[in-house]
Amino acid sequence: KAGVTQTPRYLIKTRGQQVTLSCSPISGHRSVSWYQQTPGQGLQFLFEYFSETQRNKGNFPGRFSGRQFSNSRSEMNVSTLELGDSALYLCASSLASGLYEQYFGPGTRLTVT
Amino acid sequence: AQKITQTQPGMFVQEKEAVTLDCTYDTSDPSYGLFWYKQPSSGEMIFLIYQGSYDQQNATEGRYSLNFQKARKSANLVISASQLGDSAMYFCVSSPGTYKYIFGTGTRLKVLA
């Protein structure tokens, strides 16, 4: 069974631009979560989607948004990029929402200049 | 607020020896899950082991076992017979009943030949 895939793997953007990251979950998984990882803040939860609905959201500004499609694939969008948005963005999928182990993708390394 | 504490930022262990990585958690939810993940230098997060708050027995997965002490709110990871490939960052994660993961700051483990 294929694992979680994320595209692109690396991205360089300039301040003020917007970016869209994509995540394809493991087949059969309906929950997708997004995380931001930085050296200073560690791993922080962004949001979770289940059956195309946002189930939970972390403490991030409204510039960070996401969505999930009917095939469970998910996208994350960051508008008006700031230097502090430079991070590794990890996507994780699980069978359902709740107490299920999550399987992570390789991440998208975003650099904002 | 929910919190995960990993007090060991870095640890060394000799190959073939056992090592314990500490984790304490703070949650008021009666139902929660505890997870351990491994993140090698490649960046991908790898699921290792899961313990549910109502599980009577400590979880084990191959060389990994979770020493769950509910009254102390601790969930230490024990790796037996360490291998060079175990060198990585290890994260303790809790999932309270709010459908999101809370990550600890991680412990960087280095296995010495």
Side-chain angles (χ1 to χ4, degrees), chain B:
Chain B
Q2 316 280 359
K3 191 178 178 183
I4 288 278
T5 302
Q6 294 182 254
T7 56
Q8 306 151 314
M11 287 192 73
F12 291 94
V13 64
Q14 207 66 37
E15 195 179 9
K16 299 180 185 175
E17 291 187 349
V19 62
T20 299
L21 307 184
D22 295 340
C23 171
T24 57
Y25 58 94
D26 179 16
T27 178
S28 54
D29 291 80
S31 177
Y32 53 89
L34 295 159
F35 305 79
W36 277 91
Y37 283 82
K38 170 185 176 181
Q39 188 178 39
S41 55
S42 58
E44 188 163 348
M45 201 73 68
I46 301 167
F47 166 72
L48 296 177
I49 196 166
Y50 164 78
Q51 178 85 42
S53 59
Y54 292 118
D55 294 341
Q56 295 296 316
Q57 294 194 335
N58 288 341
T60 60
E61 288 285 350
R63 294 186 299 111
Y64 304 106
S65 61
L66 199 153
N67 185 358
F68 181 48
Q69 297 187 43
K70 196 170 183 177
R72 291 188 172 186
K73 294 193 173 180
S74 78
N76 299 339
L77 176 71
V78 180
I79 305 174
S80 62
S82 296
Q83 301 172 356
L84 295 177
D86 294 334
S87 294
M89 185 74 108
Y90 288 81
F91 291 97
C92 180
V93 183
S94 78
S95 181
T98 52
Y99 310 123
K100 67 179 184 182
Y101 271 20
I102 299 167
F103 280 78
T105 51
T107 294
R108 185 170 297 282
L109 178 67
K110 175 72 174 173
V111 180
L112 305 173

Side-chain angles (χ1 to χ4, degrees), chain A residues 60-65 77-82 84-85:
Chain A
F60 279 82
R63 300 185 296 106
F64 291 81
S65 64
N77 185 274
V78 187
S79 62
T80 320
L81 283 165
E82 300 177 359
D85 297 333

Side-chain angles (χ1 to χ4, degrees), chain A residues 29-41:
Chain A
H29 285 194
R30 295 170 62 195
S31 169
V32 173
S33 297
W34 289 88
Y35 299 86
Q36 181 195 64
Q37 186 175 25
T38 60
Q41 299 296 320

